[in-house]
Amino acid sequence: MTNLLKDRKISETPFRKEVLAIFTKYNNAIPLSVIEKELKEYNRITLYRTIKIFLEKGIIHEITINGAVSNYAICKEECDTVAHHHQHIHFKCNRCGIIFCVEVDKFPTIILPKYKIEQLEIQAIGLCENCNV
Amino acid sequence: MTNLLKDRKISETPFRKEVLAIFTKYNNAIPLSVIEKELKEYNRITLYRTIKIFLEKGIIHEITINGAVSNYAICKEECDTVAHHHQHIHFKCNRCGIIFCVEVDKFPTIILPKYKIEQLEIQAIGLCENCNV
DNA sequence: ATATTTATTGCAACATTGTTGCGTTTATAA
DNA sequence: TTATAAACGCAACAATGTTGCAATAAATAT
């Protein structure tokens, strides 16, 4: 793992390193409540600010499905300060509730005459690998 | 316009009729703040409860893009108490900020081996008809 | 049409989620 | 090692959403 914090030119603090470690530990998107439980020393405000700067710097991305609580996941693609460039879909399992970022062979293209599409976000809801038995 | 309230077997009250009229007046999705301004007599709690029951009964659907404030729009397709069945995409304009439900010729299909997809929600962000000049 | 039942409304109070100013502490760069 | 800039954490606030309950209005049965 390269140093995401130094790469994005933000200070490397123990708190940020710990949050980052929690993200890398999980293979799926997680809500703030999970981070809270994993943190040794939890501070609500610092966590909000950490999430905010991670989003701005393209370290993580936010996933909100059906207005439920937001989940966050590490950006595996080359995201930066300017924009996110994801080519995966967000999958929410109806049974276990976990949200996954899933790579897809051919990411669909949508053409809307007269509109200009700059970004596409695809959310699928159903049963994940583990629950689809 | 058929009587959505009686169809879904919920009481027809002045408040609900007014909220419904506001939804039909707009051709795009709207946030609570817009409904608030349009209502003659606004009550926060009643509005929350109205939105909640409209969602449950498949009268409206919720759209949340990038974790921003939720918008709501009338369900034009045959949605019911059990599930929503939309075949349109949700488009958010980066310039005017309006969220539209846009019909699309061929709604994409996504195949994820091992996963079972029950619902697909597609969100596009860019420039709408009016702003794409 | 009216009485009875059932659902909705709106208030107060509370719960959750997110933000801001500011003094203190820590990380980075000179 | 010191100076500078950034992050932290507290208090206080702001916004958003929920619940119990009594009053009221709508739907149903008479």
Side-chain angles (χ1 to χ4, degrees):
Chain A
M1 178 184 126
T2 55
N3 194 324
L4 273 171
L5 299 174
K6 281 200 173 139
D7 286 357
R8 307 305 157 101
K9 297 194 174 52
I10 61 169
S11 300
E12 234 187 333
T13 68
F15 194 95
R16 289 177 180 168
K17 282 200 262 185
E18 207 187 341
V19 173
L20 209 49
I22 295 167
F23 274 119
T24 30
K25 178 181 154 187
Y26 281 84
N27 284 315
N28 48 263
I30 50 175
L32 293 184
S33 58
V34 166
I35 304 176
E36 172 182 346
K37 275 184 227 108
E38 297 265 355
L39 278 169
K40 284 196 291 288
E41 288 194 43
Y42 165 63
N43 180 283
R44 234 174 95 255
I45 293 144
T46 307
L47 181 53
Y48 276 123
R49 290 202 263 230
T50 302
I51 293 297
K52 201 172 187 181
I53 201 168
F54 280 13
L55 288 170
E56 285 167 9
K57 299 296 176 178
I59 296 172
I60 58 172
H61 59 282
E62 183 171 17
I63 307 157
T64 316
I65 297 184
N66 280 346
V69 61
S70 285
N71 278 49
Y72 303 90
I74 289 262
C75 294
K76 285 168 189 165
E77 294 89 354
E78 295 304 314
C79 295
D80 52 48
T81 309
V82 181
H84 290 269
H85 311 284
H86 298 149
Q87 288 293 309
H88 63 247
I89 73 161
H90 292 135
F91 188 94
K92 176 170 184 177
C93 180
N94 261 333
R95 197 165 152 270
C96 67
I98 294 177
I99 294 177
F100 302 88
C101 300
V102 188
E103 298 301 322
V104 62
D105 294 341
K106 37 185 191 314
F107 198 79
T109 313
I110 302 248
I111 293 159
L112 296 179
K114 297 180 192 161
Y115 287 74
K116 187 185 173 203
I117 294 179
E118 292 167 352
Q119 211 188 114
L120 209 58
E121 153 82 12
I122 298 184
Q123 301 174 347
I125 296 138
L127 293 173
C128 73
E129 282 189 307
N130 301 323
C131 297
N132 185 26
V133 285
Chain B
M1 176 183 126
T2 56
N3 194 324
L4 274 172
L5 299 174
K6 281 199 173 141
D7 286 356
R8 308 303 158 101
K9 297 193 176 51
I10 60 169
S11 300
E12 234 188 333
T13 69
F15 193 96
R16 288 177 181 168
K17 282 200 262 187
E18 206 185 343
V19 173
L20 209 50
I22 294 167
F23 275 119
T24 30
K25 178 182 155 186
Y26 280 84
N27 284 315
N28 49 263
I30 50 176
L32 293 185
S33 57
V34 167
I35 304 176
E36 173 182 346
K37 276 184 228 109
E38 294 264 356
L39 278 169
K40 282 196 291 288
E41 287 195 42
Y42 165 63
N43 180 283
R44 233 174 95 253
I45 295 143
T46 307
L47 181 53
Y48 275 124
R49 290 201 264 231
T50 302
I51 293 298
K52 201 173 189 181
I53 202 167
F54 281 13
L55 287 170
E56 284 166 8
K57 299 295 176 179
I59 297 173
I60 58 172
H61 59 283
E62 184 171 15
I63 307 157
T64 316
I65 296 184
N66 281 345
V69 62
S70 287
N71 278 48
Y72 303 91
I74 289 262
C75 294
K76 285 169 188 164
E77 292 89 354
E78 293 305 313
C79 296
D80 52 48
T81 309
V82 181
H84 290 268
H85 312 285
H86 299 149
Q87 289 292 308
H88 64 247
I89 73 161
H90 292 137
F91 187 96
K92 176 169 182 175
C93 179
N94 262 333
R95 195 163 154 272
C96 67
I98 294 176
I99 294 177
F100 302 88
C101 300
V102 187
E103 298 303 322
V104 61
D105 294 340
K106 38 185 190 316
F107 198 78
T109 314
I110 301 249
I111 292 160
L112 296 179
K114 298 179 192 162
Y115 288 73
K116 187 185 173 204
I117 295 179
E118 292 166 353
Q119 212 189 114
L120 209 58
E121 154 82 10
I122 298 183
Q123 299 174 348
I125 297 138
L127 292 174
C128 74
E129 281 188 307
N130 301 323
C131 297
N132 185 26
V133 284

